[in-house]
Amino acid sequence: MKIKRIAHIGIAVKDADASKNFYQDMLELPVDREERLGELKIAFVPIGQTNVELVQSTDPEGVMAKFIAKRGEGIHHLALEVEDIDQALAELKAKGVPLVDQQARPGAHEARIAFLHPKGTNGVLIELVQYTH
Ligand code: ZN
């Protein structure tokens, strides 16, 4: 398995537009792109070779809304870019690492993604990302 970099740090926010203003106006970091992915509204703020990913649920029952209700706004997950996500998942499965996603699925940035279960990672939700282009 080859891990190349921290692709992004996912942050659960109540309001992606308000949050991106902090990065743009206070930190002078422009938003690179915004996307909708199912119920999620996502804004990417590039910082060097990585990104801050601001993620908001548009559905009050959505995944980020539930996270915020339980734990408040804040860091939600760490995304690692891998060369080959199928190979990485097969290797991790063989090593007994608990997975949320048994198979890679489509994510933001037209990437393929899969989450590892936080019970196997000291409580950190880790996302694997493979860019398709
Ligand atoms: Zn992510």
Side-chain angles (χ1 to χ4, degrees):
M1 165 175 27
K2 174 130 196 283
I3 294 174
K4 298 160 106 175
R5 66 184 172 112
I6 295 176
H8 62 259
I9 297 163
I11 301 180
V13 298
K14 287 180 188 160
D15 180 339
D17 290 323
S19 303
K20 81 183 184 200
N21 289 339
F22 168 75
Y23 288 89
Q24 289 189 145
D25 301 341
M26 302 302 152
L27 301 183
E28 297 171 22
L29 292 167
V31 168
D32 171 51
R33 55 191 281 172
E34 295 173 64
E35 297 185 29
R36 289 296 296 263
L37 185 70
E39 58 106 5
L40 299 174
K41 185 173 170 183
I42 303 171
F44 282 94
V45 182
I47 304 172
Q49 292 300 299
T50 189
N51 293 269
V52 165
E53 181 194 49
L54 304 171
V55 195
Q56 173 199 341
S57 280
T58 57
D59 176 348
E61 293 300 305
V63 57
M64 290 300 161
K66 283 183 174 161
F67 176 88
I68 290 169
K70 220 155 99 183
R71 301 174 62 170
E73 290 184 300
I75 292 180
H76 179 265
H77 65 273
L78 181 65
L80 305 177
E81 182 182 354
V82 293
E83 212 160 66
D84 182 334
I85 196 167
D86 300 312
Q87 189 205 340
L89 285 171
E91 271 184 51
L92 291 168
K93 211 181 285 186
K95 289 175 180 170
V97 174
L99 308 175
V100 173
D101 298 302
Q102 302 298 316
Q103 301 286 335
R105 58 187 170 88
H109 267 185
E110 294 170 50
R112 298 176 66 222
I113 66 160
F115 284 92
L116 313 185
H117 200 287
K119 72 185 175 194
T121 61
N122 305 93
V124 178
L125 181 59
I126 292 180
E127 176 186 4
L128 301 180
V129 186
Q130 180 191 345
Y131 291 100
T132 48
H133 61 266

